[in-house]
DNA sequence: ATAATATTGAGAATGATTCTCAATATTATT
DNA sequence: AATAATATTGAGAATCATTCTCAATATTAT
């Protein structure tokens, strides 16, 4: 049943249904935080070529089905955009490398939006997107 | 006279005074926005080896004399921390690749700080720093 | 089933950054 | 100022993530 959803998702976005694409989407659906290419491949019984993984991720990104961004270690991280996914930001733990979704309250997001409009006018630049990311160290002692 | 300042800056931070280090600091002093390794090297009559430039930048970063971060194209950008430099953020133009410093008003920065404290408590993570970056496209038609 | 088309996997290529180490420059000592 | 001890540099090799190429394979259309 989940497979049908995935098939439809692929078809309705102009993709043919292939095993690597279905596998990657499944993995992203089951991940509760952004995940790297290596981790994706590790969850596929090592069956997907790394080049294919990158290609598929790039295609999903073009179709606006995923968010992608670089980790502080300069690795690509991706997360599936689900129907309940909304604009949010991330907190990176620099010791254990976990990434947490963070929501910021509406008031702050509105303040940010109005700041953006102001800066856009001041500099005569159309601002297309923004990032707001937090970096920290959790108390997981296993990394010291 | 500026040279003496640079010599002192280097010495007081435990660096010996060498031509490549002096040159790079001069270049950073004269740059009004963050600058990449290639641009730095181009301004030195091509005399500094790329490996040396990276090494020197890494050392200056360790000594907290510069800020460094990655551009959207994943290139290292650096800016000198001068005595009037304070916490600020950046706006990247994705067509002409310019980087602009942006200041955000105190009220917003305070809101961000209190958000950070809240998230830090909620997740039991010490948050060490944050980034807030804007991405846009200016009206420079020469890049289309 | 066959043909036409699209996707995949393997490895080569690329580009930024880091590493290695012998040659050179700087600093400390006489 | 010369010499010795130490630190830095430059050149290129190595690394690592990502992209590219293209023949083999899978998917879709007929
Ligand atoms: Mn997220
Ligand atoms: Mn700046
Ligand atoms: Zn952690
Ligand atoms: Zn621009």
């Amino acid at each position: 049943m989940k497979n049908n959803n995935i098939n439809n998702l692929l078809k309705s976005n102009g993709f043919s249904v292939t095993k690597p694409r279905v596998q990657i989407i499944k993995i992203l659906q089951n991940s509760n935080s952004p995940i790297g290419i290596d981790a994706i491949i590790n969850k596929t019984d090592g069956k997907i070529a790394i080049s294919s993984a990158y290609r598929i991720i790039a295609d999903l990104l073009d179709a606006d089905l995923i968010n992608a961004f670089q980790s502080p270690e300069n690795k690509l991280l991706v997360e599936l955009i689900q129907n309940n996914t909304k604009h949010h930001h991330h907190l990176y733990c620099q010791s254990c490398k976990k990434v947490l979704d963070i929501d910021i309250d509406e008031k702050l997001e509105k303040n940010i939006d109005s700041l953006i409009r102001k800066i856009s006018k001041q500099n005569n630049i159309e601002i297309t997107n923004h990032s707001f990311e937090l970096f920290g160290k959790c108390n997981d002692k296993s990394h010291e």
Side-chain angles (χ1 to χ4, degrees), chain A residues 19-52:
Chain A
K19 245 172 267 171
R21 297 210 263 236
V22 171
Q23 275 188 92
I24 286 180
I25 289 178
K26 258 186 200 161
I27 289 162
L28 293 177
Q29 279 179 338
N30 292 330
S31 175
N32 58 339
S33 64
I35 186 175
I37 292 283
D38 287 358
I40 291 174
I41 289 173
N42 285 339
K43 302 203 181 201
T44 62
D45 325 325
K47 293 223 180 70
I48 298 181
I50 190 167
S51 54
S52 302

Side-chain angles (χ1 to χ4, degrees), chain A residues 123-135:
Chain A
N123 296 280
N124 192 32
I125 293 184
E126 180 200 356
I127 293 177
T128 52
N129 62 313
H130 68 273
S131 75
F132 173 62
E133 294 164 358
L134 305 181
F135 305 94

Side-chain angles (χ1 to χ4, degrees), chain A residues 63-122:
Chain A
D64 290 316
L65 296 177
I66 60 175
N67 289 325
F69 40 87
Q70 298 291 120
S71 78
E73 291 80 26
N74 285 321
K75 290 182 200 159
L76 187 68
L77 296 179
V78 299
E79 65 185 0
L80 192 64
I81 298 172
Q82 319 233 25
N83 34 28
N84 57 348
T85 303
K86 57 195 240 310
H87 177 75
H88 65 278
H89 303 274
H90 296 105
L91 164 56
Y92 300 86
C93 175
Q94 292 179 318
S95 48
C96 72
K97 315 299 180 203
K98 264 188 215 119
V99 187
L100 297 177
D101 287 340
I102 57 177
D103 288 305
I104 73 184
D105 61 60
E106 278 197 32
K107 207 188 292 175
L108 182 58
E109 190 74 51
K110 274 182 187 150
N111 287 339
I112 289 177
D113 285 345
S114 75
L115 170 74
I116 286 175
R117 279 193 298 276
K118 195 175 85 181
I119 291 174
S120 177
K121 274 181 199 155
Q122 279 175 353

